[in-house]
Structures are given as structure tokens and as C-alpha cells.
Amino acid sequence: MTAGLEVARDNLQQRVAVRLRELLIHGTIAPGSKLNERDLCEQLGVSRTPLREAVRLLAAEGLVSLDPGRGAFAPTLSAEDVKHTFDVLGVLEGMAAERAATHITDGELAEMRALQLEMQAAFERRDLPGYYRLNARIHDAISEAARNPVLRNTWQQLNARMHAFRFRSNQDETKWARALGEHAAMLQALEARDGTALRQLLIEHLQRKRDAVLEQMRVSN
């Protein structure tokens, strides 16, 4: 296979993974559901090979569970799994926030301001998918600005498992508005280079996310 064909295949695999990730995060594929290859190939307009490669990528992220002999499934997490994972994420994001306040560049800070404005606009449009994409980019930018690859990799692995839960936790209007306000406070702390304040804001932000998700799980069960 030539290098050009390999790049094209990798790009297709990545594009399919992005689309499939969105279906899982938005709950279009419900937790516990089997990923139907035929339906997904038709929906995404691809053959089985890139779909299977994308599924393997998402399995490595924890967004898909592979059951030998049965196929691929959208994972189901217990309330205890969710609680423990969010607790650890809060610690990791708090640590990243403290370091980011020291290491973030002026250019990165300007990008964060722009993302906050875009996120505010998405909220005003009630565009939850758009809001979530911007929200995720902000949390990712804080992780990147920490300048600690071990911390970042660990956070990315755990955060991937919580993507769908984080998205659905903002579907309550009051909680959504409060989360937006929390992000504005985070930006202020970051601009002030106040790592201690930013760390506490991130920990409390994740704790509220955790509580909102657990409440939704109780109501749905």
C-alpha cells in the first residue's frame, strides 16, 4: 500500500470515529446497545473496514466495549463507576488547572476567551451539541496548558469514558446556565493566574457534574 493510500485510510478511519463518537456521546446509541454494523455503515456511508477500525479506536478510549463472539456495545456504567470516575477527574482537572494558571501562554489565553464567547453564543441559541463541543475544547485546553504529558494522557483516558455523561448533564436549563457561569469564573481565575482559585473551581465544577449525572441516573432507573 502506498503512503498516500495509507494516509487516506487513516483519515477516513478518523472521520468515522468522530461521527461514531458523536452518536455515542449524544445518546443516539443508547448505553448497552449493540453497534449494528449494517445500520452504521449505511448511516455513515462507509464500508465495514473503516467502521471496524473506528470501533477499535473508540474501544481504546473506553467509549465502546468489545465482547468477543458477540460484537461491540455502547458501555453501561454503574452509578458507582460514574461517581468514582468523576471524583478522580475532579482531582486531575484541579491539578491541571493549577499548573495551567502558571504555564498558559498569552495566545492560549486569548483562545480561551474566544471559546468562552462562542460558548455563550451557543447557550443563547440553546445549541447544546455546539455548546458541548466548545466546552470540551476548553477543558482540553486547560489540560494541554498544564504541560504535563502524564497528567494529560491519564485525564484523556478517563474523560473519554465520561463524554456522554458530561453532555447529558447540561440538559437541565438551570444547571446549564450555572455551568456557563462557572466557566466564566474559571476564565477570570485563569486571567488572574490564580491557580489555587482555579483548582477549586474545577473541582467543584466536576463535583456538580457528578451529582447531576447521578441524579439523572436515579430518575431514569
Side-chain angles (χ1 to χ4, degrees):
M1 180 180 293
T2 66
L5 288 175
E6 288 178 350
V7 170
R9 187 189 70 178
D10 290 345
N11 287 340
L12 177 58
Q13 172 185 312
Q14 291 291 341
R15 289 197 299 271
V16 174
V18 168
R19 294 281 306 281
L20 187 55
R21 187 182 291 111
E22 289 177 349
L23 295 176
L24 291 160
I25 289 172
H26 296 170
T28 306
I29 301 174
S33 299
K34 184 175 181 178
L35 275 60
N36 186 299
E37 282 193 352
R38 180 181 299 174
D39 290 348
L40 286 171
C41 285
E42 182 176 340
Q43 182 176 355
L44 302 178
V46 297
S47 65
R48 291 177 184 266
T49 298
L51 177 65
R52 288 172 178 174
E53 291 173 345
V55 166
R56 282 195 290 270
L57 279 178
L58 298 186
E61 295 179 11
L63 279 175
V64 172
S65 297
L66 298 179
D67 187 339
R70 295 184 64 224
F73 294 80
T76 301
L77 297 180
S78 70
E80 282 297 298
D81 290 333
V82 170
K83 178 183 182 302
H84 294 321
T85 305
F86 266 110
D87 286 347
V88 175
L89 272 176
V91 173
L92 293 175
E93 291 209 18
M95 185 184 302
E98 196 163 33
R99 290 182 55 84
T102 301
H103 298 289
I104 195 167
T105 67
D106 290 341
E108 288 171 328
L109 194 52
E111 175 66 15
M112 292 279 283
R113 294 189 190 100
L115 289 171
Q116 180 70 23
L117 290 173
E118 291 181 52
M119 197 164 67
Q120 174 72 45
F123 171 77
E124 291 170 359
R125 295 192 306 270
R126 297 304 185 265
D127 175 10
L128 183 57
Y131 175 93
Y132 180 75
R133 284 192 293 271
L134 294 161
N135 182 302
R137 286 175 62 187
I138 288 173
H139 284 274
D140 186 71
I142 292 173
S143 170
E144 176 68 23
R147 304 291 187 266
N148 184 320
V150 176
L151 171 59
R152 178 167 171 76
N153 289 339
T154 305
W155 172 79
Q156 286 178 318
Q157 290 173 9
L158 283 183
N159 189 57
R161 300 179 64 196
M162 294 294 105
H163 268 311
F165 294 104
R166 294 181 77 149
F167 174 79
R168 290 196 289 272
S169 69
N170 280 336
Q171 292 180 3
D172 177 284
E173 185 82 9
T174 302
K175 292 184 176 67
W176 189 2
R178 184 172 64 189
L180 180 65
E182 291 170 358
H183 269 269
M186 290 176 210
L187 179 59
Q188 290 178 347
L190 196 54
E191 290 175 327
R193 309 282 179 166
D194 188 342
T196 301
L198 185 59
R199 180 178 185 274
Q200 190 59 36
L201 284 167
L202 260 295
I203 291 174
E204 292 174 358
H205 183 68
L206 266 292
Q207 288 173 342
R208 276 189 278 272
K209 287 280 187 186
R210 175 202 64 199
D211 294 344
V213 169
L214 292 175
E215 179 184 347
Q216 285 181 333
M217 292 180 76
R218 283 194 295 270
V219 169
S220 62
N221 288 335

